[in-house]
Amino acid sequence: MGLKREVGWSVGDWTPPPAPEALVLEGTFARLERLNGAAHAADLHAANQVDGRIWDYLGYGPFATEFAYRLWADGMAGQTDPYFYALVDRATGKAGGVASYLRVTPAAGSIEVGHINLAPVLQGSRIATEAMFLMMSWVFAVGYRRYEWKCDALNLPSRRAAERFGFTYEGVFRQHMVYKGRNRDTAWFAVIDADWPALRSAYQRWLAPDNFDANGQQRSRLSDVIHPLLSARDPVF
């Protein structure tokens, strides 16, 4: 008698979610608008001049002029995958970063966040954290099962950010791609729908007004709120 072969559980009652569409994601500190060269290129190009290293792990950039950046932004703005947002500081009205949904696969319930490029002024800020929360919230609200984060395995800031935001590390794809004439081994991270209720509560606790003092400094770090959740998960392998 042969061994019983295990198969995955039925998802027959699950409906594939919609692809991203023209919508604004609005928070307390951040506003995510569909990337538009005319509206955002000047702010983004200026913000990106502070530290050229933000382009090291992206397949494009840096851009020497605002015009060159606007040409790139206009090209990205017309695409649906990747689907680009500009990250706008609601207090100033200025854009300081971009991020996108990509590798959108409704049939599998899978979607990725990527092309994240934050000017130094946004890195580690409430604006950046809330922007990531808003993007993740939309993904699971409309029915996706899996939300991915991938980066060059050598990109330690991106790997730390993924873990801070609650993504689980799943391994490295060796020699996954070539960009800018260099090899890239890709580190994979993901959040799945079963993770989301606890993560949503953690984000909401961190973003609450009483977690910040009068100068806007955090009282508790997001990683301190999320780490117990990650530790309690079953191992990936």
Side-chain angles (χ1 to χ4, degrees):
M1 185 175 179
L3 294 175
K4 180 181 178 181
R5 298 197 308 176
E6 297 290 340
V7 297
W9 67 85
S10 172
V11 292
D13 59 348
W14 171 75
T15 301
E21 55 188 0
L23 73 166
V24 172
L25 303 179
E26 190 92 47
T28 302
F29 312 105
R31 176 183 172 90
L32 277 68
E33 304 172 349
R34 189 79 163 98
L35 180 63
N36 179 291
H40 303 124
D43 286 349
L44 291 168
H45 183 260
N48 290 338
Q49 300 308 299
V50 177
D51 186 351
R53 292 176 297 177
I54 62 175
W55 302 104
D56 286 353
Y57 296 106
L58 291 168
Y60 42 83
F63 300 96
T65 66
E66 180 185 322
F67 179 73
Y69 185 90
R70 179 168 176 176
L71 287 179
W72 172 84
D74 285 341
M76 294 299 102
Q79 299 188 36
T80 57
D81 190 345
Y83 187 97
F84 266 90
Y85 283 107
L87 280 57
V88 177
D89 179 347
R90 289 193 62 196
T92 65
K94 291 185 175 296
V98 297
S100 77
Y101 293 126
L102 69 156
R103 297 185 177 89
V104 182
T105 314
S110 176
I111 190 170
E112 182 179 338
V113 59
H115 296 282
I116 301 169
N117 192 5
L118 304 180
V121 68
L122 286 191
Q123 293 172 14
S125 69
R126 283 188 292 186
I127 298 165
T129 299
E130 187 178 52
M132 293 297 102
F133 172 62
L134 291 170
M135 292 185 74
M136 198 182 302
S137 296
W138 182 84
V139 162
F140 292 115
V142 300
Y144 282 90
R145 305 172 63 236
R146 176 178 170 84
Y147 189 45
E148 298 179 333
W149 176 300
K150 304 186 185 86
C151 63
D152 190 312
L154 297 175
N155 187 351
L156 297 183
S158 184
R159 294 180 67 153
R160 285 194 292 266
E163 292 174 348
R164 175 177 178 267
F165 290 136
F167 289 77
T168 294
Y169 173 65
E170 295 183 336
V172 171
F173 278 37
R174 297 177 298 165
Q175 296 185 188
H176 180 225
M177 64 176 68
V178 175
Y179 71 115
K180 292 182 175 175
R182 306 190 302 259
N183 173 69
R184 172 170 143 169
D185 297 343
T186 298
W188 288 52
F189 300 81
V191 173
I192 61 172
D193 51 2
D195 303 327
W196 176 235
L199 279 178
R200 178 176 55 206
S201 295
Y203 273 100
Q204 290 170 337
R205 290 201 301 273
W206 187 84
L207 288 165
D210 62 6
N211 188 43
F212 298 89
D213 64 21
N215 297 316
Q217 297 299 307
Q218 63 183 353
R219 303 183 192 277
S220 297
R221 298 183 303 174
L222 181 64
S223 56
D224 292 337
V225 179
I226 285 180
H227 181 73
L229 303 176
L230 300 180
S231 300
R233 293 178 186 172
D234 294 332
V236 174
F237 301 107

